[in-house]
Every structure is written in C-alpha cells, then in structure tokens.
C-alpha cells in the first residue's frame, strides 16, 4: 500500500501514522526492513537489566533506515513505550495524547498532519472512530488511505460509517490474519465469550489459540 500510494501521488516521501504503536514494531518492519523473526531474536537476547545499553544498541541498529523516505509517526497514550520507540529511532515522532478523550495539541498536529497512510494492527475496539476522525481531520488535504487490522471480536461498522461521511469507501479483504497467541487460558475464554456474544464462529479459528484479525482498507 505504501508503494501504491507513492505511485498515486508521484512522490517518494510518505508519512505513515501508526495508531497503537507501542514500542514501534511497525516502524522497525516498514521503515527499517526488519522481519518479525529478526525482532524476536533481537529482543529475546536483549539485556533487560540494562535499559541504557539496550537503548544505545537500538540507536545504532536503527541509525540508517532501509527506507529513509518513509516517515513513521506513532500514536499511543503509553508514553514510555512511545518515547523509547522515538528515542531508539524506530519512529520519527510520537503523539501520546489520548485521542479518545482529547483533540490533538498544536504540537501533535504538526507531527501527524498531511499523512499518506493511517494504519493500526489490533487496537481498533480499544481505539474507536473518535480517534480515527481526529487523525483524519488533521490530514483532510492529503486524503490519507487507511489499513486497519481489526480483531474479530470488534465491529468496524461505526468507523466505516464515519469514513463514509468523509467520502471514503472501505473494503474488507478476504481471509484472517494472525495477531498474537493468547497469553493465558483465561484470555482465550474471554475472547471466545466475546465472539460468541457477537455471533462470530470461532471454530477452527480463535479456538486454536490465536487472536485473529480482518483487514479493512479505506
């Protein structure tokens, strides 16, 4: 989608807003060209008892991005995770304002405006159309595309309606996408209960032990 957007705008520089970015994993994948397997190896071997040493290692690791024309901006109220991702270089900038409750500040707007692509990987449901619309309103001139991986226990309908009011068409791609394994039997049961109440069949899907998401592109 990033390459398609570049082709459509005839511009190599591109800005991606990552909602619910946490420690900047999507930045490491998209801007720095790492794989999930590489990230697992890097952080399984990390010296958790020496955060200063880890930060310096990561600053060196992310000093020369694979895609220098890609600007990654994270949005997440988890300010410590966000600050680490920015300090390490996985993200170019971060916004810690809780956009479910507050409008972006002028400083926030400077970081997120004129986006090309707004993405999320598993946070929709905790993040609603309120945050999405506030982000969209900072980039009305650039008309950013969107790609949201939405856990199946959450409904994207309200966000799709909001996007439609702004002239967007949303499509759901075929197939399911693994998000992560359940952390415990209790979490698995909680998700299965939520899916059952939502009328979603988890047979052969979440019951196997994974959060599963659907991809909505606008």
């Amino acid at each position: 989608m990033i390459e398609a957007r570049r082709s459509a705008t005839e511009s190599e520089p591109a800005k991606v807003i990552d909602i619910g970015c946490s420690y900047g994993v999507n930045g490491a994948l998209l801007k720095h060209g790492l794989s999930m397997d590489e990230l697992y190896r890097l952080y399984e071997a990390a010296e958790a008892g020496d955060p200063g040493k880890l930060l310096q290692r990561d600053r060196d690791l992310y000093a020369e991005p694979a895609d220098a024309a890609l600007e990654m901006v994270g949005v997440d109220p988890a300010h410590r995770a966000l600050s680490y991702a920015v300090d390490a270089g996985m993200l170019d900038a971060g916004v810690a304002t809780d956009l479910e409750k507050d409008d972006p500040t002028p400083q926030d707007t400077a970081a997120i405006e004129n986006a090309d692509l707004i993405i999320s990987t598993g946070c929709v449901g905790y993040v609603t159309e309120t945050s999405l619309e506030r982000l969209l309103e900072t980039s009305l001139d650039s008309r950013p595309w969107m790609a949201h991986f939405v856990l199946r226990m959450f409904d994207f309908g309200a966000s799709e309606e909001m996007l439609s009011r702004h002239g967007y068409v949303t499509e759901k791609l075929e197939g399911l996408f693994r998000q992560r394994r359940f952390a415990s039997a209790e979490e698995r049961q909680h998700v299965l209960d939520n899916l059952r109440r939502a009328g979603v069949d988890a047979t052969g899907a979440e019951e196997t032990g994974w959060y599963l998401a659907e991809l909505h592109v606008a």
Side-chain angles (χ1 to χ4, degrees), residues 152-153 192-202:
R152 291 208 304 160
M153 64 180 180
L192 293 178
D193 290 343
N194 284 343
L195 290 167
R196 185 165 48 250
R197 284 192 290 270
V200 178
D201 184 6

Side-chain angles (χ1 to χ4, degrees), residues 52 54-64 84 87-89:
L54 179 61
L55 177 59
Q56 187 55 57
R57 185 206 71 173
D58 283 356
R59 283 174 173 165
D60 294 338
L61 178 66
Y62 300 114
E64 297 183 8
Y84 186 92
D87 287 347

Side-chain angles (χ1 to χ4, degrees), residues 3-205:
E3 292 311 310
R5 174 72 177 190
R6 283 169 160 160
S7 178
T9 60
E10 298 182 341
S11 174
E12 188 67 13
K15 179 187 283 190
V16 176
I17 310 300
D18 181 15
I19 312 169
C21 65
S22 186
Y23 281 92
V25 168
N26 284 329
L29 298 173
L30 298 173
K31 185 181 178 73
H32 297 279
L34 296 177
S35 69
M36 286 301 299
D37 285 343
E38 287 172 320
L39 289 174
Y40 283 128
R41 287 195 295 271
L42 277 166
Y43 292 98
E44 283 173 349
E47 296 187 33
D50 192 344
K53 187 174 181 179
L54 179 61
L55 177 59
Q56 187 55 57
R57 185 206 71 173
D58 283 356
R59 283 174 173 165
D60 294 338
L61 178 66
Y62 300 114
E64 297 183 8
D67 188 346
L70 185 65
E71 182 180 359
M72 292 291 305
V73 180
V75 176
D76 200 311
H79 63 91
R80 291 180 66 183
L82 182 69
S83 294
Y84 186 92
V86 174
D87 287 347
M90 283 174 277
L91 299 175
D92 296 289
V95 169
T97 299
D98 185 347
L99 298 179
E100 288 294 298
K101 300 177 181 177
D102 300 306
D103 288 325
T105 67
Q107 183 178 1
D108 295 338
T109 298
I112 59 181
E113 65 184 354
N114 299 320
D116 289 286
L117 185 63
I118 297 174
I119 67 172
S120 66
T121 49
C123 71
V124 168
Y126 311 103
V127 170
T128 72
E129 70 277 5
T130 299
S131 292
L132 295 182
E133 188 163 33
R134 282 174 165 152
L135 286 169
L136 183 58
E137 287 172 345
T138 69
S139 297
L140 290 177
D141 291 340
S142 63
R143 304 296 290 171
W145 297 353
M146 294 198 183
H148 300 290
F149 287 94
V150 181
L151 299 177
R152 291 208 304 160
M153 64 180 180
F154 296 119
D155 182 11
F156 197 62
S159 294
E160 187 171 343
E161 289 177 12
M162 178 276 293
L163 289 167
S164 180
R165 292 197 301 272
H166 287 281
Y168 281 76
V169 174
T170 302
E171 298 181 41
K172 184 173 72 173
L173 274 70
E174 292 186 12
L176 301 178
F177 300 85
R178 286 180 172 183
Q179 182 71 17
R180 65 166 174 84
R181 293 184 185 277
F182 296 128
S184 64
E186 291 78 12
E187 184 179 54
R188 176 181 180 275
Q189 191 59 51
H190 171 71
V191 171
L192 293 178
D193 290 343
N194 284 343
L195 290 167
R196 185 165 48 250
R197 284 192 290 270
V200 178
D201 184 6
T203 305

